[in-house]
Each structure stands twice: as structure tokens, then as C-alpha cells.
Amino acid sequence: MNKKLLATLCSAALLTVAVGGQVQANDELLKLQQDPNQWVMWGGNYSGTRYSTLDQITNKNVKELRPVWTFSTGVLRGHEGGPLVIGDMQYVHTPFPNKVFAIDLNDQTVVWSYEPKQNADVIAVMCCDTVNRGLAYADGKIFLQQADTTLVALDAKKGDVIWSIKNGDPSKGETNTNAPLVVKDKILTGISGGEFGVRGRLTAYNIKDGSVAWQAFSVGPDKDMLVDPEKTTAMLKPIGKDSSVSTWQGDQWKIGGGTTWGWYTYDPALNLVYYGTGNPSTWNPSQRPGDNKWSMTIMARDADTGMAKWFYQKTPHDEWDYDGVNENILVDKEFQGKPRKLLVNMDRNGFGYTLDRETGELLVAEKYDPAVNWATHVDKETGRPEVVAKYSTAQNGPDVNTKGVCPAALGSKDQQPSSYSPKTGLLYVPTNHVCMDYEPYDISYVAGQPFVGATLSMFPAPNSHGGLGNFIAWDAIQGKIVWSLPEAFAVWSGVLSTAGDVVFYGTLEGYLKAVDATTGKELYRFKTPSGIIGNINTYTHKGKQYVAVLSGIGGWAGIGMAAGLSKSTEGLGAVGAFKQLSAYTQLGGVMTVFALPD
């Protein structure tokens, strides 16, 4: 083992302390996240800012960037997420079959690899490609959430399985795609399957042995959701008894969706975990009258107990599949002249939200794509969007094709995580510029079978630049776009911003792009072997800064290529919108690492 990795793991052992008999692994992570030379969790830090204080690569010299080494994963589906860097080791993951590679940065050799044995039947119940969004690290362990819902802890030095547990049941449509997050002595993970009538939940497992610490459902009875009717609030008011079940018809909440396959962030000072819940099931809103709480909701929970402190439902009675799982970035800034602990969420529904992350107070809710038309605005008093009747699939009813809804079900932004730079005070947001026609129809629930109930077709936003995406800078205090760069295709990569005044993002054609953090001016581009839906990270090795990105076309936007689909309405409507993508890129899983010349 190399000396730097050994030192890191030894330090981890010293930092892992026993408090009341419980191992507090994130004491280690609290220190490691402050070391810009490593990249120890999906967002770079618990706040999910995807910002690095490294500044060797700047807006002045980034034009000299060049690829210095590559690594092929040997997998040809969509590569979301990004690698971790712990000491001198880089940990790379893949989509199904969810391989993990530990690569020595000194010579780029594979120290160990892990390939789980999974039943390939799970592929058929994965909604939008066989993606995986990344790994977690703590206490000398690498944590992988497999597609078949197996959560596994691997020895970071050797790759041996330390423990594994089952987080769900694929025969019911339950799968996993999320990157887990370690908080204190627990590893947090969610569940996928909203298109199969899965009931969403977040589960905390003890990192020592994989035993369940707590589990909180997104919908259903109060006791299942870990809420206190008098203490858990929404819009600063107690949610009251049976706040969820009273908004569903009969027992529909049992197959109600609200899955939790997105990203998780954590505020150590408040001891609160933040995450979003997904769409209600089915996509036909007429079959599930009511607000369908608490799908489409930002949730803040106590990390130790799972008890909910506050909720904010962004899209009550969702009629468009505007999944609510996008990342919640934690930012400390002044708001109206006072310092506030803020949470920023760029939702699929096309609104950018800024909330007080301690209380859940709604501060800002504004459109971040001018094409958004399904609602006129969000009422700041009630928190509810004002829906436009013309674009209401519920008001138009089943078997009616509601045309020209913007954004499409892909959202103005899907799971691809944004970045926040404390240096500029701006968020950098990868967005989709896609609209849709949406026709709901009645459907019956059968366990393990698709429970969608809508036919979609997607297309570029009309009367615009003709492309399917924009890359924007967003002022979360003012709720305004600062600058916007049009893109031919949706921007589906995770963003990186740095102290060098550079912002990096990737395109579906396969370009890694670097732009000026203040002006948005393009400074550099390089075409990687396949389209980029992965996240861009940075780290140092032997004092030199590197930038790494996973390329590998797929995900919802690239599902046509990844799964060999050709009909326009396949891939839940995405195939038609992105049918030209194959002229610009091909399948392939490759990590490309960049640096400046010596």
C-alpha cells in the first residue's frame, strides 16, 4: 500500500472515536472534506457545493489543460456520478453490474476490483437506464449501493466484503441508483422505483454491521414517516395528524411513490439531513386525487433519530412527473441584510427555491428557465404553485393529450448536481431546455410491473435557440439568471467550480468544457470518448492538481442509445427528443483525467 493512503487510513482509525459505544465515522469525514487534495464524498463536502479551493488551474491557464491518463471501465451503459479520491487511491464505480475499481494514482494500476453477482432481471425494473451515482467512504470502508438493492461495505485497502444487506425487493420494482452518504455512525441510502408503485423511504444503517438504525417513509401514517404532528412543520406551521394519508384516496399511499433516489446533504451544526422525495405513483393524476403528501417534498430530518423537523412540498398533486429528488445545496449567505443558513434547490419543475434550512421558511421561488409554462408563479404565503389550466394534465383529464408543457418530465434539471462557489456567490446549474406532450391513461397496479399510466413525447422548447439545454449561473438570493450558455443537448453532467475562477461541466456530445466563473466565457473544451453524464471532480497528487470526469452516454437523456430504443415515445418519451445524439457520440465507459503541462 502506498504511504499516503496508509497515512489517511491510519488517520481515519485515530479519528474514529467511540461516543456512548457508537463509532462516529464522520469525525473523520468532517476533517477530510476540508482537505481539497482529496474528494471524499459525492458533493466534495457535506453541503454538496461541489466547490474546490484548489487554484493551480485558473481561468488564465486552463486553456493549456490536457488529458494525462484514461481508464476504461469495460461497461457500456450510462456512467453517472464520479470517482472518490482517498489518499493516493481513486475509487471508480460503474453502472450495472456495479463494478468498483481501486486505482493507485502513482502508476494508475488497479489495486483491487469488485464485481457483485446480481440477477440481470433487475435491469428490466430500472426506470431510466442502469446508472449508479457513486460511492461513499468512511472508517476504512467503501460503501456501494447496488442496483439489486444490496448495500455492501468493502474494505478500502483490499476490496473484501465486510458486510452486505438488502435494502429492497426488485420483484416489487424496488432498485437502487443513489450515492449513499455517511453521517456519524450511519450510512444513509434511499430507494428507486416510483414508476413501479414503490413506496419511498430513507434508511439509516449502522456502518459497523449494516443493522437498521432508523427508517423514514415518504408517505403514509405518521409513525412510518417519523413525524411529530405538532413539532414537524411545513411553511412554518405544524403539519398536523395524518398529514399524508389524508391527501390520498383510500390506501393509495401504499403504492404512492415518493422515492428517494437523489442526493443527500448534511448540516453538522444543526444535525439535520436534507433530501428530496420523488413523484407520486401513477403518472396519471386523475387516479390519485389530492395533494399526495409527502411526495415531491424537501425533507429535513434529525440525523440520529430520523425524526422530521420540516417539510416543503414543491409540486402538490404532481401532474407532470416533476420528480423532487434534486440536490439541496447548503449555503451560508446574507438574505435581506441578515446572515442566514440557506438551502438552495433547483427543482425539476423549473423553479429555483431558496429556503431557511433551519426552519424551512420559503424565501425565494423563481423560474430558472424562461420556457417554464405549467405554472405562473409560486405563492410565497402558501408555498403552492399557481397552475396554468391549459397545461394541467389533471384538469384536461385522462386520454387527452396536453400539448406544449414546459419543462418536460425530464425537468428543467434532472439529477445532474449543480455547484456553488462562495467566491462568486453564484450557483452553476446544468439544465434541460425541453418541453413535452403528455397524455395520461388509466392503469392498474401489478407488483413488479410498470405503473406509469402516461404517454409522453419530448422536443426542444419552441421559439428559443433550438437546442435542448442551457448552462446557467444563478443568483439564489435574487432568484435570477446571471448568464446562460445555450447547448445543443441537455447538460447532464455534475458541475465543478474552483477557486481558480473556473467552472467545469460536460456535454452529452462528450465535451469537457471550462468556462470563466464570472462571465461564462468558454475557456477550454476537450471531446472525451463518450457523452458525459458523470460528475466532474478535482484533487491533487504529489502536489499537482488534476480534474477527472466519467464519460459514458446513457441515463434518461441517452436511454435510446444505452438500451437500443428507437421509437420516439420509448424511454418515457426521451428517445424522440435525443434521436440525433448518436451522430455526435457512441457508447463507452471511460474516466479521463486532465492536468496542466509540467
Side-chain angles (χ1 to χ4, degrees), residues 21 304 331 382 439 466 482 519 526:
D304 297 326
V331 175
T382 65
E439 184 174 352
V482 177
T519 66
F526 179 88

Side-chain angles (χ1 to χ4, degrees), residues 47 53 68-69 95 111-112 131 133 143 262 290 311 362 397 463 496 538:
S47 297
T53 57
V68 292
W69 63 276
V111 177
W112 58 259
V131 298
R133 297 185 181 88
F143 298 92
F311 294 158
L362 177 63
N463 304 314
L496 169 71
T538 190

Side-chain angles (χ1 to χ4, degrees), residues 221-240:
D222 292 349
K223 62 180 177 60
D224 292 2
M225 292 186 60
L226 301 186
V227 300
D228 183 321
E230 300 305 318
K231 294 181 179 179
T232 302
T233 63
M235 294 297 292
L236 303 179
K237 298 177 181 178
I239 60 174

Side-chain angles (χ1 to χ4, degrees), residues 1 9 91 102 112 139-142 153-163:
M1 193 194 321
L9 294 175
Y91 298 94
W112 58 259
D139 191 31
K141 302 179 181 73
I142 294 292
L154 304 171
D155 185 296
K157 294 183 290 185
K158 301 177 182 178
D160 297 337
V161 175
I162 298 172
W163 56 257

